[in-house]
Structures are given as C-alpha cells and as structure tokens.
Amino acid sequence: MDAVRSNPSAASNNALLSSVRHLWSEHVTAMLVIKDVLMYVDKVYVKNANLVPVYEMGMCVFRDKVLLAAQKRLITQVVKATLAQISCERRGAHVDRSVLRGVVDMLVELQGTGQTCTLYETTMQPQLLAESRSFYCDAAKTRLLDHSTAAYVRAAQADIDAEMDRARAYLVPATGTLLRNVLLDELIDKHASDIINIPNTGLVQLLDHRDTAALQTLYNLYAPMHPTLLILQTNIHSHILELGQKFAVSLAPLSSNTTQNDEQEGSRDKDKPAQVLGMAAKTAMALRWVQDILDLYDAYDEIIRVSFSECQSMRQSIHDAFIE
C-alpha cells in the first residue's frame, strides 16, 4: 500500500492497461468470428490472389489504426504504463498480473511494421531491460554500503528469483533469460571483488564461520560467469595460504619455549642429550601443524561438497593452496 500511495498514477496505469486489454480482447473475438464467416474466401480467393489472410489483416488494422496511430501515442502510453507497473511491483506494491499478461500477449501477437519482430520485441523489451539495468545498478550501490556479504548475495538471489517469477507470470521466457543476465551483470559481475571484501563481513568471515548456506548462494551467483568464479577461487586460495602461514607463526613461540624447557631439563638430567629433546619438541610441533592443516582441509572439503556443488575447478584451486 505504501508503494501505491507514493505513486498515485498506479491506479490510472492499471485502468489504461485494463481498457486496452479489453479492447484487444473484443477485437480478437470479432476477428475470429469474421475469420470463420470468411473461411472460404481465405482458403480460395485470398490464397490464389496471394493476399494477406483475413485474421492477419485484422491484426494489422488494430496495430496501425489503434496502437500506432497519432504518432504512436497509445503504444507509447501502454509501454510506459506497463513498465511503471513492473517498477511498482519491484518496490513491493501489488499489481494485477492478469492485466499485464493480457497486454504483453497482445504485444507478442502483433508483428512490427517490418514483419520481422513483434511489437513486444521492438517497443517494450528494450525499454524493460534498460530500466532494469538502471534499477539494479542503483540497488547494488546502495547495498554495498549497508549490507554484509551474506545479506548482499541473499538479496541478489531474491531479486533474480523475483524476476524469473515475473517472466513466467506475464512476460516471455526469452525476457527472463535476458533479465537474469542483466541482474548478474549489475549486481555481481561489476562488483565481484567489492562484494566478497566487505569489511568484517566478507568472504573470509563466511569461510571462517563455515557459513555453508551463504557460501552456496555466493557460489551460485559467481559460477555462471568465468571471471567472477576466478575471483572467488583466487580469494579463497589466498585465504588458505594466509591461514597456513598463521598456523606456522602461532606454533613458532611454542617450539622455542619447548626447546628451552627441554634444554633446562636436559641440564638436570645428564643422561638425556639436549639434541634428542629438541628433536622431540620439533616433532610435536610438526604433528600439531599437520593436524591443524588436516582439520582445515576437512572443513574446506565439506564446503566444496555442500556449498560449491563439487565444482572441480574450485576443488583444484583449494587443493593447490594446501599443497603450496
């Protein structure tokens, strides 16, 4: 309701689209009756004279005398109203999807004047994709300021799901694919590094906290595009190397202290050479380091299985990091 109140023209847009859909429906019904009446004319005279069939002629009349008349005034208003309704729905308002479905079906059925593309393809779809790109470009910039990485990718996936549902409900399948590409480009591809490096809530935190659900969403959004998948692989690879270095550094003081204690003990026990005790300390340190690495490997193996869909390139990248 808030979205509707903020846009008083929403009701008038719906009224316009409802009127056009009703007019189109009556025209189609009339043309079907005329087509049946003139069936013989279509089969014999029209075919032999190589003329346009009656029904197709009626569609051209509606296109030229109704939608494209007066310098395309009505078709311009119809497209504008349809896009406005889609914009309202994206912002949470309720719209009459059946009306939108009827208008889109009309534009899909009517061929453009060049007879190569439909009115939908030449008038509405390009503007829809352009407005969608602008809308999600702004959304990405806003979310990067106040969203965590997990929240950002969840919102991006929700947007894609909503657009796919919208395409199934009243657009066309081809538009759904194009919209998905637009969203992946604006929400993910253009900000791939920024998303996973959001301070204090980025990829590193997701990995360290083993947030498999968020990592799965992240992977699903990055995987369709090779450059973004490579960015994800590179960052995970680097983080594993950093963890390995931290393990080694954290164990160094323990090794030093253990050696000193062994040397002191060795001075009191003349029967145990200090060299043997020093080797024992180094062995203990090595075993602890190996166990930490194995535990970390198991954790990442689970992430690969649960979050990364057993992606072989991800597995190879992570495996290489552990070898290094």
Side-chain angles (χ1 to χ4, degrees):
M1 289 302 295
D2 291 338
V4 173
R5 292 192 189 99
S6 64
N7 184 12
S9 63
S12 61
N13 287 333
N14 187 68
L16 170 65
L17 296 176
S18 296
S19 298
V20 171
R21 184 188 68 160
H22 179 69
L23 180 63
W24 165 251
S25 178
E26 287 193 335
H27 180 77
V28 170
T29 300
M31 287 308 306
L32 289 174
V33 173
I34 295 173
K35 176 185 176 183
D36 290 340
V37 172
L38 300 178
M39 183 182 301
Y40 180 79
V41 175
D42 260 349
K43 288 185 176 180
V44 180
Y45 175 74
V46 170
K47 183 177 181 180
N48 292 335
N50 197 27
L51 299 175
V52 178
V54 172
Y55 183 82
E56 292 183 22
M57 185 181 297
M59 298 299 102
C60 293
V61 169
F62 187 90
R63 178 196 67 197
D64 298 337
K65 302 302 181 181
V66 179
L67 293 179
L68 301 184
Q71 297 181 340
K72 302 182 179 180
R73 180 178 178 183
L74 183 56
I75 186 66
T76 301
Q77 292 177 339
V78 167
V79 171
K80 182 178 179 180
T82 303
L83 295 177
Q85 292 295 86
I86 294 175
S87 179
C88 286
E89 188 178 46
R90 282 173 176 161
R91 291 175 168 83
H94 173 74
V95 299
D96 191 337
R97 287 188 163 191
S98 64
V99 171
L100 294 171
R101 175 79 258 182
V103 172
V104 169
D105 286 345
M106 174 190 71
L107 297 176
V108 169
E109 183 168 351
L110 292 173
Q111 291 290 323
T113 54
Q115 297 294 323
T116 55
C117 298
T118 65
L119 280 182
Y120 175 83
E121 294 172 317
T122 57
T123 61
M124 181 176 165
Q125 183 170 265
Q127 294 187 53
L128 173 61
L129 295 177
E131 289 197 6
S132 299
R133 185 173 294 278
S134 177
F135 178 83
Y136 287 109
C137 176
D138 294 340
K141 293 176 182 178
T142 301
R143 291 171 185 171
L144 284 172
L145 297 177
D146 57 15
H147 279 50
S148 65
T149 295
Y152 186 99
V153 295
R154 282 196 296 266
Q157 186 60 59
D159 288 335
I160 292 175
D161 293 341
E163 293 298 336
M164 295 303 98
D165 176 67
R166 188 170 294 112
R168 289 190 296 268
Y170 57 82
L171 297 175
V172 297
T175 301
T177 301
L178 294 174
L179 282 171
R180 185 174 186 274
N181 292 338
V182 167
L183 267 66
L184 287 175
D185 185 38
E186 293 297 331
L187 296 177
I188 304 300
D189 188 35
K190 291 184 177 180
H191 308 282
S193 295
D194 294 333
I195 294 169
I196 61 179
N197 289 303
I198 295 177
N200 303 318
T201 62
L203 174 63
V204 170
Q205 284 70 32
L206 296 181
L207 293 170
D208 291 344
H209 295 153
R210 310 292 187 261
D211 191 344
T212 54
L215 287 169
Q216 183 178 32
T217 304
L218 178 67
Y219 170 78
N220 289 338
L221 293 172
Y222 276 60
M225 300 166 289
H226 179 71
T228 55
L229 181 60
L230 184 60
I231 290 174
L232 182 61
Q233 291 175 350
T234 301
N235 278 266
I236 294 177
H237 185 96
S238 298
H239 181 56
I240 294 174
L241 294 180
E242 291 176 2
L243 289 177
Q245 293 173 356
K246 289 180 180 179
F247 286 158
V249 171
S250 65
L251 291 176
L254 177 62
S255 172
S256 177
N257 293 335
T258 304
T259 302
Q260 292 177 3
N261 293 336
D262 287 345
E263 290 176 351
Q264 293 174 0
E265 185 67 23
S267 64
R268 292 192 296 266
D269 188 356
K270 301 300 183 179
D271 297 332
K272 294 181 179 179
Q275 184 178 5
V276 174
L277 294 176
M279 289 298 297
K282 291 181 180 179
T283 301
M285 179 191 70
L287 290 174
R288 178 177 170 183
W289 186 86
V290 169
Q291 187 59 52
D292 287 341
I293 294 297
L294 290 175
D295 291 343
L296 185 65
Y297 187 87
D298 290 340
Y300 274 83
D301 184 66
E302 180 182 5
I303 291 174
I304 293 172
R305 289 186 291 102
V306 176
S307 302
F308 297 160
S309 303
E310 293 283 1
C311 175
Q312 291 304 310
S313 62
M314 291 293 293
R315 181 178 290 281
Q316 186 62 49
S317 177
I318 291 174
H319 178 72
D320 291 343
F322 277 97
I323 292 178
E324 294 177 19

